[in-house]
Amino acid sequence: STNLHEVNVNVILYVLESYRNGRTRSPLSDVGTGLLILHFFLGTYNVNGQTPKESLHPWLSCTLNPPDMYCIGFQELDLSKEAFFFNDTPKELEWTKAVSEALHPDAKYALVKLVRLVGIMLIFYVKKEHAEFISDVEAETVGTGIMGRMGNKGAVAVRFRFHNSDICVVNSHLAAHIEEYERRNQDYKEICSRLQFRQLDPSQPPLTIMKHDVILWIGDLNYRISELDVSNVKELIGKKDFETLYSYDQVISMMINEEAVFVGFVEGDIAFQPTYKYDTGSDKWDTSEKCRVPAWCDRILWRGKNIVQHLLTVNPEAYKKTFEEIVRNIDKMENECIPSVTLSKREFHFKDVKYMQHHAQTLSLFNDGQVPCQFEFIQKPNEPTYCKPWLTANPPKGFIAQGGSVDIELEVFVNRSTAPELNSGKEQIEDILVLHLERGKDYFISVIGNYLPSCYGSSIHSLCQLREPIQDMSQETLREVVINTEKPLDIPKELWMMVDHLFRNALKQEDIFQQPGLRSEFAEIRDCLDTGIPDSLPGSNHSVAEALLLFLDALPEPVVPYSFYQQCLEICSNASQCEKVISMLPQCHKNVFNYLAAFLRELLKNSASNRLDVNILATIFASLLLRSPTKQDLAEKRKTQEFFQHFLAQGSS
């Protein structure tokens, strides 16, 4: 539908009902027998930064009977730079009001949760009579835009328990452009792994999306129709031959043929024309220069048992009685026997660990004792956590039935906070995990490995001392990094390689520094910088640009050292004072600052092609060059941008 607003509307009502003797039962007709029948209204709407111009009543109240729950997702709620970088927008209130005024008039609803990340928003309403049965409500967000964190793309989600069923609703906006299906796949995987809900019991590990009984996934997934040109697609739409068109859909290819995303999810039959892309305020297909191919970007998928027919809840009295009986039997067995497990192995070696690259191995536990057992990794004396910060065990605690087993994933992941000490040799990939059995003994597990030093997480000063690739240097040299007799490099050679590549290849690249690259290409770029092989950088311009931002983000001491940060805030409105502060920086830091500023001024000369402006570059780079030693508030962010803007004006020194 496009007559409600400008773009991308997808309306589907999922009715969760049971059928008996071919007759539809009325909602909630079987509550007394433990069968609970629910109607969910799921809607997704990319509003293209527009404000509500007409009532949403025809959309949200299109059913005869009022739904039990509404889950309404929006994307591109606000396209302004302020919303992108500061997460402030008046559009949230405007669209929330439009939704609340359009809910079904035959029922009263309570707002349970609203969660928003820049322009991605999810609103969750429930009938008031159901509100008392909803518990454990949590909302989380994850950004997958530039640097894998910016919120212009990503997901917001709400999880809750309804009676005894755990339900998770996800609203996502994945990477754009028809050829970027690999980036969309990557966005999906990152959302699934990084979006985690805390539990009421802080000792319990966070809940991921897939740990829920029911998952409802809505949003602008941005998957397109491939291998057909725009005229063929429009011809099939005119014939309403959606079945043929659907066979070229990227979601189907990625989900069913490749099993790359949404494995185990189901989607309803698509019997409506593509929802993307129309001219704003019309029913006409895109007539801009890009003439985008129509596609079903807006989707609703679900995963879980018995979703189409009904939802089952547990009889609380029978559940309580059974649980108490099990506990009594367990207590009796534990009085007679000591818990015991067999470990698949006690030593784990992680070879050639690299910066921001996941390394995982599996520890299998088998309960060879006579009783069920609970296990947990516990802290060693005088240590704050059970493991080093670069190591995690998943799950860190759990339950194993008698004769049962569990697999624990031991993962090593080095990020910006753990890389500096590993690069310098002050820290090693070495740790001892203590696995404790409740009322049983402790097992000691050794984790060792070798870390391949990286320019990521190394200081500007140390990199300027190294004329050879960092992985060609000995551990002893890296540990001591003394001032060489030779003159140090003016700037790190790794920084020069990335900026030089972008200067030669990407001055006119559209959306440079605004569109993320691929993680796989970042890994290739990192390896090239760290080994010096090959001489030229691989990957797309967007991947090199993101690699540059990640490099600056990983510096242990930012380009403008922490000791100058407060002074920069105080004089941010005075251009000459700002230049004076930069002139006082340590030589290598001053060189890097001036080099980057000069490069960004060259980019701005080509703004007609690359669509950059001073505000965008100041927002992106100020947060990296002038990082706060503590958490930065909104006022500080604006001051750092004002400071850096002085150096982006043409003619700046």
Side-chain angles (χ1 to χ4, degrees), residues 239-257:
K239 296 177 181 177
K240 296 190 181 300
D241 188 357
F242 301 136
E243 185 175 351
T244 300
L245 202 58
Y246 195 53
S247 65
Y248 292 94
D249 180 72
Q250 287 180 347
V251 171
I252 297 305
S253 174
M254 293 298 105
M255 184 169 72
I256 297 176
N257 301 338

Side-chain angles (χ1 to χ4, degrees), residues 205-272:
L207 281 175
T208 59
I209 293 171
M210 298 304 169
K211 291 291 179 67
H212 292 77
D213 303 317
V214 172
I215 306 163
L216 306 171
W217 196 304
I218 66 178
D220 182 352
L221 305 187
N222 252 324
Y223 285 100
R224 307 301 173 87
I225 291 171
S226 300
E227 300 180 28
L228 292 177
D229 62 30
V230 65
S231 59
N232 288 336
V233 171
K234 290 180 179 178
E235 182 181 353
L236 289 169
I237 294 171
K239 296 177 181 177
K240 296 190 181 300
D241 188 357
F242 301 136
E243 185 175 351
T244 300
L245 202 58
Y246 195 53
S247 65
Y248 292 94
D249 180 72
Q250 287 180 347
V251 171
I252 297 305
S253 174
M254 293 298 105
M255 184 169 72
I256 297 176
N257 301 338
E258 303 287 337
E259 293 190 347
V261 294
F262 293 107
V263 175
F265 279 79
V266 179
E267 183 177 30
D269 292 336
I270 289 186
F272 52 89

Side-chain angles (χ1 to χ4, degrees), residues 45-64:
Y45 190 173
N46 184 319
V47 299
N48 193 30
Q50 306 295 312
T51 56
K53 293 186 174 64
E54 55 191 283
S55 172
L56 300 183
H57 186 271
W59 177 31
L60 300 183
S61 298
C62 63
T63 59
L64 181 63

Side-chain angles (χ1 to χ4, degrees), residues 71-82:
C71 297
I72 309 299
F74 293 97
Q75 306 86 37
E76 297 192 354
L77 200 74
D78 193 331
L79 299 177
S80 68
K81 297 184 182 70
E82 289 76 18

